[in-house]
Amino acid sequence: MGSTALTEAAKGIRDWSMKGGHISSAPVNAAEIFGSRVFSDKAQQERLPKPVYQALRATITRGEALDAATANTVATALKDWAVEHGATHFTHWFQPMTGVTAEKHDSFLAPTSDGTAIAEFRGKELIQGEPDASSFPSGGMRSTFEARGYTAWDPTSPPWLHMNGNSVTLVLPTAFVSWTGEALDKKTPLLRSMEAVSRQAVRVLKLFGSNAERVFATCGPEQEYFLIDRSFYFARPDLINAGRTLFGAAPPKGQELEDQYFGSIPERVLACMAETESELYKVGVPVKTRHNEVAPSQYEIAPIFENANVAVDHQMMTMETLKRIAPRYGLECLLHEKPFGGVNGSGKHNNWSLSDEFGNNLLSPGDNPHDNMQFLVFCAAVLRAVDRWQGPLRASVANAGNDHRLGANEAPPAILSIFLGDMLTDIFEQIEKGSAKSTKQGGLLDMGVSVLPKLPRDAGDRNRTSPFAFTGNKFEFRAVSSGQNISFPNTILNAAMTDSLDSIATELEKSTAKGEDLAKAVAKLLTKIVKEHKRIIFNGNNYSAAWEKEAAKRKLLNLKNTVAALPQLVTKETLALLDKYKVLNPREIHGRYEIFLENYSKTINVEGNIMVLMANRYILPTALEYQKNIGLSVSAVKAAGSPSVQGRKLLVTYTKLVDRFKAQTDALDKLLDHESTSAETHAKYMRDQIVPAMAKLRETGDKIEVLTPHENWPMPTYREMLFVK
Ligand code: ADP
Ligand code: MG
């Protein structure tokens, strides 16, 4: 069977190469196609009467409400634009708490009294939709009989056309709320957090003489993923149903040679990436970077940063497009955090910053950061935010998949800390002692070869191990997981920052109102913040055991798994933070807490059940067959007069493993049959009982695998899945 999948994969690759690759289009001119399926600013300008266009821009850039007449005009223009591009349907696209996106398609056609149909789309349909919400998770915020849920158009994220074979659909990004106005999705709290952080940031900017009226959180997420041959994928029930392999012995060659990282990209994979990118360009996603990642068959795609709300929508579209295009190349895209045990997992580096309405990056240090008060204030606000709100930040990236990554010596640890680099650390050390007087410069990098240019050297090196790193003019939250919607981590980050900026603005406003010099007040405040929060700064190796000890001394949180981390969402402090800035009310947070716990338990439960299925129906029959064959061989050899010493030894070893495997399978099966009184106790049970039982069963299964003839093994192996490409 393993070899059948291998034959299929080899055939697929051969056919693909012989056809010159199934490349559905010629190389594209990115500039020409970019945004061609988006109702972009340009399209809006061309198609809307000037006052309507201006009203819409006011909504988009300043958050002003859209009136009914304007909405009607926009709707008509939008429909005409979509229909001209072949659209027959429209959909309100939203992000319920399931983690994936949801959509319900409606036709533009409305029947008329004379039996014909006309294409129609009114303002009301643009602004509001009403999907039956009863089957979406609400975490107890709503009972199923209160099924009403509304989708509300988010005019700040541009509509786009989804083309799928013979259909074209107009997609409208929307927020999803209950009849009582509670957020049932991931977009609503993000939008609320963007407004909150904007309000406080503007207060701080005003002190420095800025006349900015709005500040935007900006975000550029780097997505890691695996691509493997689809015939392997279909031959693995664990990959199909759990997104990761639950059995699988380590391959003889892993990633130890590190020859994969930034290595040349295989032809078929490159073609797949190129088509994925051109699809994304068309719908306005500004993807920019592609490269091989550390693990075999692992890759990365990253866009140019955007307003965080748009970046989140575009990130969801990127994940969907990766999944959708890969099969055209006989590939399957795996977005799971840990598809393969013992091999690097996938994360999503969430690059984040704040920018004012004029496009000034508030975390850009300039040439002399020690002299750049405004920058130092915003940077100190981040230190305070991450230190003060470690708990909810850690919880915002907690899920069953990420438990395999965080703290597993390949990804940042579960402890949050900030890497500032030499230059900024030096400045903040000066601040702690009173005031900053100089900036360490990097100078020029001389490579000792006269034809090579002298490169400007950064003042400090990078640090790959940090969970939250300053990288030049932005912070990079690296504990975010590859499969998750990045909306929630950004929501929490914005909320934490809101709290910091509020406190800073309040202090500085007080000081200046008393007639104190702003520079002096800032210097005093910065020193205070650094003293209180410097424990969060760590520039060393985050993978080392010494750091775990040191972090404990500093009393930093070290929440090693989802079940330990999630309660941080419902502490008194977190509830108050999110309520105060109107990001999430206590009911909404409790609802999310329940959903996250349930997701965790359901994920582990599915994995446990698949393991039992694979053990009983795939591995055991194969193992028993081979056990019998060894037995037959031993008897035959014995009958021929030889004692078959090695054969008997193998029989004993193998039989022991098989017996243990069967016993562990039954034990896991029995443990899975369990009910708990609450979501919390159930999640704990899954973590403390099921996860260890799964680990034991896997260990035995993997030992059996390496002793069983390859041609009999019922599934593709790691060696095949990771290296045949
Ligand atoms: P790095 O190698 O430092 O991670 P890149 O320049 O490739 O460098 O940046 C990685 C990601 O960070 C990209 O998606 C980029 O758009 C994003 N990024 C750059 N500047 C900002 C910013 N001001 N705010 C948010 N994201 C940013
Ligand atoms: Mg990066």
Side-chain angles (χ1 to χ4, degrees), residues 184-204:
L184 295 175
D185 69 342
K186 309 209 173 192
K187 185 191 268 282
T188 310
L190 175 69
L191 286 171
R192 293 176 186 161
S193 76
M194 302 260 304
E195 292 209 1
V197 78
S198 172
R199 212 167 297 129
Q200 302 306 330
V202 165
R203 272 177 74 200
V204 173

Side-chain angles (χ1 to χ4, degrees), residues 218-222 289 302-305 351-353 361 462 471 473-474 476:
T218 54
C219 171
E222 304 166 52
T289 315
I304 295 172
F305 72 94
N351 295 271
W352 175 95
S353 187
N361 179 356
R462 287 172 163 256
T471 44
N473 56 3
K474 62 189 189 277
E476 200 168 321

Side-chain angles (χ1 to χ4, degrees), residues 483-544:
Q484 90 175 109
N485 182 328
I486 58 170
S487 190
F488 196 51
N490 282 295
T491 302
I492 299 293
L493 195 48
N494 292 339
M497 204 45 190
T498 304
D499 170 58
S500 277
L501 293 170
D502 183 2
S503 135
I504 288 173
T506 306
E507 292 244 352
L508 293 179
E509 281 164 3
K510 244 193 262 166
S511 305
T512 49
K514 278 191 285 184
E516 209 176 315
D517 174 49
L518 177 69
K520 278 204 190 115
V522 167
K524 210 169 66 190
L525 180 62
L526 287 178
T527 306
K528 186 175 140 213
I529 293 179
V530 175
K531 280 200 171 131
E532 270 172 34
H533 300 288
K534 68 175 176 193
R535 64 168 185 168
I536 198 74
I537 303 171
F538 179 63
N539 292 326
N541 180 6
N542 285 257
Y543 297 173
S544 71

Side-chain angles (χ1 to χ4, degrees), residues 376-398:
L376 290 175
V377 162
F378 277 93
C379 197
V382 177
L383 293 185
R384 185 188 176 281
V386 176
D387 185 31
R388 176 87 186 72
W389 302 107
Q390 292 163 50
L393 280 168
R394 167 66 184 91
S396 76
V397 297

Side-chain angles (χ1 to χ4, degrees), residues 636-711:
V637 174
K638 221 168 123 187
S642 159
S644 182
V645 180
Q646 295 307 323
R648 289 179 70 96
K649 234 176 161 176
L650 176 61
L651 185 59
V652 171
T653 310
Y654 201 80
T655 304
K656 264 194 201 150
L657 282 173
V658 174
D659 287 351
R660 191 189 312 157
F661 188 73
K662 177 75 174 89
Q664 287 171 334
T665 304
D666 293 345
L668 175 60
D669 198 12
K670 201 159 155 234
L671 284 170
L672 282 164
D673 188 14
H674 176 86
E675 275 174 34
S676 305
T677 46
S678 76
E680 256 163 37
T681 53
H682 197 51
K684 278 196 188 129
Y685 176 86
M686 298 313 263
R687 177 192 62 183
D688 299 336
Q689 303 296 326
I690 305 296
V691 171
M694 282 167 57
K696 273 192 214 151
L697 179 61
R698 176 176 185 153
E699 199 190 328
T700 314
D702 293 356
K703 281 190 183 142
I704 294 177
E705 180 190 323
V706 295
L707 290 179
T708 306
H710 179 256
E711 59 172 12

Side-chain angles (χ1 to χ4, degrees), residues 160 297 304 415 447 468 644:
W160 44 281
S297 290
I304 295 172
I415 308 162
M447 286 173 268
F468 207 100
S644 182

